[in-house]
Amino acid sequence: MSVDHLPREQLRALQSRKLGAQIERLRSNPFYKARLANIASKGSPLDALKSIEPIDKHQLLTDQNAEPPYGQRLNVPKRDVAMTHTTAGTSGLGQEIHGLTWRDVEAAGYLSSFAFRWAGLRYGDPAAFNVGFSNSSGGNAMLRGIQAVGNTPYLIAQAGFEERLSILAKADPVGMYGTPSAINGLLRTARDIGFDIRRNLPSLKFLLTSAEPFPIEWALRMEEAWGARLFEDYGATQSASSICASCCERGAVVDGQRGHMHLFEWSFVFEILDPETREPVRDGEWGELFITTLDKEASPLLRFGTRDRVKYTGTRCGCGRELMCIESGSITRYDDMMKIKGQNVWPADMEKALFGLAEVREFSGEVAIGPKGRDELYLRVALTERGEALEKRAADDIRAAFKAQFNVSPVLTFVDVTELPQWTTPEKKSRRFVDTRQKGLAQ
Amino acid sequence: MSAVNETAWRRLDELRTICADLAADQDDAVRMFALRVDAMARALKDSVLVPPDLEKDHDSE
Ligand SMILES: [Zn+2]
């Protein structure tokens, strides 16, 4: 039996054993000492974990600023750090840095290999690697993930899309790893230059993707166009330095519905908690993913709050594994959330609602303080055609959709598409929704 | 627990004993080899294999 097929009870026993050892290892660590002071050595470590104060990104940055570069949380001598992984720094708060020992480096590969094995990569199979290299965890861990079971004769991320396609045709891989944007871009280029993907890549069985959410329709379209099944993996640089969840053999979309990703519970403890009450969510509910590493040596983490918003989907799957699952294709960031008139609203959900209406071509939204001093959502919408009748119908549709889904009534203006910021400054990577309330309050 | 897993676990431990010997070598490349092979063995055990004594551990809980 392999570790991913452990029955739930044995899995808990393994977690308990590893966590107990981890807590003992961290008792003298300056970053963790105070957090563990009230945790007894006797009793169930998994129960004890719940009373340890969670960690967030701010605390990690404060720690590493106080003791650069790795912070006091580094639990090995500095000279044992073989590689480092850093976060992208897109939060604007700063870049986290996480050390890895050689064991951690190799473990990142072995853990990531489950994504490829479940997707169908077998001993010695060639796979194509579509992600660039840097200190980010994605490239390193995933390349080692393929190499843990298969071969990587061709790296393709360094080439333009057209050249990537010609390399792919020579390599004839059984699978390819890349972001949704890259998979999409390759397909578009293939169509532009008349490259027949199915004919040129006869061995391709799977596409493995991560890092961006995607609609079901997109997944189905990619599977059809590439003649391969789509799979997704999930990882958090902060705590895992490898991936820690992936779709099983059933894929990212199962019978037209979103499939799920299995969490790698044999090497981590996961908690999916309501971000406000910090109570565990139930099957089918959304929550924030908290990660505790069980094996990592250099930069271990206890109860790190990822700020990733995931949908918990229970511990049962048609594949027979009993690991906790999260929904595939729908992970977003809590930090993207906007609170409008007391309602939690995600820009991605509003975009989906608007683009779900056939008459909507493009739009931009602004959450601002209205004339009565209250939150207002201002929507500027460009329709496929101008005209009073169409605008009347669109206004009804949009109001009904926003009332039903978000309990928010937007202030609507219809504009020409050329008046929208996406049109006037397309080179600027602008978000469709902006929040100017802070600015409004400062005035 | 399947015998295959148990055999791999035991053989990896033997490999680690060999690595411990090699770690005392005078050549830096040999020492680094020992460090990295030992790290691979431990990572494989942590990330892929089931500890053979897990069942025993579980029963005694
Ligand atoms: Zn499954």
Side-chain angles (χ1 to χ4, degrees):
Chain A
M1 184 202 299
S2 58
V3 73
D4 52 316
H5 280 285
L6 278 177
R8 191 106 207 117
E9 273 178 65
Q10 284 197 31
L11 194 62
R12 298 287 287 173
L14 180 61
Q15 285 183 317
S16 180
R17 176 198 286 198
K18 287 185 173 185
L19 182 61
Q22 158 106 309
I23 288 174
E24 294 314 312
R25 281 198 300 272
L26 294 178
R27 279 201 189 277
S28 53
N29 179 288
F31 182 76
Y32 286 107
K33 195 157 51 182
R35 284 184 173 81
L36 296 173
N38 296 322
I39 304 298
S41 293
K42 288 210 163 73
S44 157
L46 290 169
D47 287 339
L49 184 70
K50 293 176 199 145
S51 56
I52 298 173
E53 187 55 32
I55 304 167
D56 64 20
K57 188 183 183 70
H58 291 272
Q59 286 159 317
L60 296 186
L61 291 171
T62 306
D63 176 43
Q64 68 191 47
N65 289 340
E67 194 166 315
Y70 303 109
Q72 292 190 317
R73 65 184 185 275
L74 187 73
N75 208 42
V76 296
K78 211 183 269 183
R79 59 174 286 129
D80 289 354
V81 174
M83 288 185 80
T84 55
H85 285 164
T86 54
T87 55
T90 42
S91 68
L93 297 169
Q95 262 189 321
E96 290 162 41
I97 181 161
H98 298 266
L100 292 92
T101 62
W102 276 115
R103 191 224 69 95
D104 296 342
V105 170
E106 298 295 348
Y110 283 127
L111 289 168
S112 302
S113 79
F114 280 93
F116 293 99
R117 295 162 74 171
W118 292 349
L121 191 74
R122 296 285 167 266
Y123 178 78
D125 278 349
F129 195 72
N130 213 343
V131 172
F133 259 77
S134 66
N135 280 316
S136 81
S137 62
N140 178 49
M142 294 309 273
L143 185 72
R144 286 172 192 273
I146 298 177
Q147 292 170 344
V149 285
N151 295 326
T152 47
Y154 295 94
L155 304 180
I156 59 175
Q158 72 287 352
F161 279 151
E162 209 171 318
E163 195 189 337
R164 283 188 213 188
L165 289 169
S166 87
I167 300 173
L168 282 172
K170 276 181 268 179
D172 189 24
V174 302
M176 181 174 77
Y177 174 60
T179 60
S181 314
I183 291 170
N184 210 43
L186 280 169
L187 177 62
R188 224 173 34 218
T189 304
R191 290 197 169 140
D192 289 348
I193 64 171
F195 179 96
D196 185 335
I197 285 185
R198 283 175 165 248
R199 198 169 55 83
N200 282 302
L201 303 175
S203 302
L204 196 75
K205 285 192 293 194
F206 71 86
L207 298 167
L208 180 64
T209 194
S210 59
E212 299 163 17
F214 51 82
I216 294 176
E217 299 71 31
W218 178 84
L220 294 173
R221 215 169 60 232
M222 291 304 117
E223 291 193 332
E224 172 63 26
W226 287 87
R229 292 297 312 280
L230 184 81
F231 296 82
E232 186 191 13
D233 67 77
Y234 165 82
T237 311
Q238 289 92 338
S239 42
S241 283
S242 71
I243 63 161
C244 57
S246 182
C247 292
C248 67
E249 297 81 357
R250 294 161 59 85
V253 176
V254 184
D255 300 330
Q257 303 292 315
R258 286 194 187 281
H260 47 225
M261 293 192 272
H262 295 271
L263 295 167
F264 299 174
E265 289 186 88
W266 61 91
S267 196
F268 306 92
V269 174
F270 298 95
E271 296 167 276
I272 303 173
L273 306 178
D274 181 300
E276 271 154 38
T277 64
R278 291 263 167 90
E279 287 298 315
V281 302
R282 284 188 302 244
D283 190 348
E285 292 179 345
W286 294 89
E288 178 179 355
L289 186 69
F290 285 74
I291 302 180
T292 296
T293 64
L294 294 176
D295 293 316
K296 210 168 164 223
E297 291 179 325
S299 299
L301 286 169
L302 295 177
R303 302 193 90 199
F304 177 78
T306 60
R307 301 300 290 153
D308 283 331
R309 179 179 179 256
V310 304
K311 187 177 183 180
Y312 177 51
T313 54
T315 56
R316 283 172 196 279
C317 179
C319 71
R321 292 183 186 85
E322 298 182 12
L323 302 161
M324 286 170 75
C325 292
I326 54 177
E327 190 178 72
S328 175
S330 63
I331 299 175
T332 51
R333 302 275 306 160
Y334 270 104
D335 302 328
D336 292 343
M337 187 191 83
M338 295 174 153
K339 215 168 182 117
I340 308 173
K341 295 184 179 179
Q343 305 291 324
N344 294 341
V345 181
W346 276 266
D349 291 344
M350 292 192 281
E351 286 178 16
K352 212 170 126 199
L354 283 161
F355 281 133
L357 301 170
E359 64 267 31
V360 173
R361 177 171 174 189
E362 194 46 92
F363 57 87
S364 74
E366 180 184 357
V367 187
I369 305 289
K372 288 177 190 159
R374 298 190 49 204
D375 295 354
E376 288 292 359
L377 171 63
Y378 294 94
L379 281 182
R380 298 167 73 211
V381 181
L383 299 177
T384 47
E385 287 169 58
R386 297 302 298 257
E388 220 167 284
L390 188 64
E391 285 177 8
K392 166 88 179 59
R393 202 181 74 215
D396 290 345
D397 288 349
I398 293 168
R399 287 208 178 91
F402 272 63
K403 190 76 198 159
Q405 289 184 49
F406 316 114
N407 197 22
V408 169
S409 306
V411 180
L412 278 171
T413 319
F414 291 102
V415 298
D416 195 79
V417 73
T418 55
E419 296 170 52
L420 292 171
Q422 299 93 312
W423 193 277
T424 48
T425 50
E427 70 283 1
K428 233 172 86 182
K429 198 184 168 193
S430 62
R431 292 178 172 200
R432 285 200 176 86
F433 285 93
V434 292
D435 187 340
T436 57
R437 284 174 291 188
Q438 297 286 341
K439 223 165 69 193
L441 289 171
Q443 275 169 4
Chain B
M1 216 48 56
S2 78
V4 181
N5 231 337
E6 222 179 300
T7 305
W9 189 277
R10 205 179 58 242
R11 299 290 278 167
L12 286 168
D13 281 341
E14 290 169 20
L15 189 60
R16 293 196 61 199
T17 312
I18 297 172
C19 288
D21 289 344
L22 290 174
D25 198 273
Q26 285 170 0
D27 192 294
D28 284 348
V30 174
R31 291 175 63 199
M32 200 61 182
F33 171 89
L35 178 72
R36 293 182 61 181
V37 171
D38 182 70
M40 277 185 93
R42 286 194 295 137
L44 187 59
K45 288 169 69 182
D46 290 343
S47 314
V48 179
L49 302 183
V50 177
D53 61 346
L54 183 65
E55 219 135 46
K56 197 174 65 207
D57 194 47
H58 173 59
D59 290 344
S60 66
E61 248 189 40

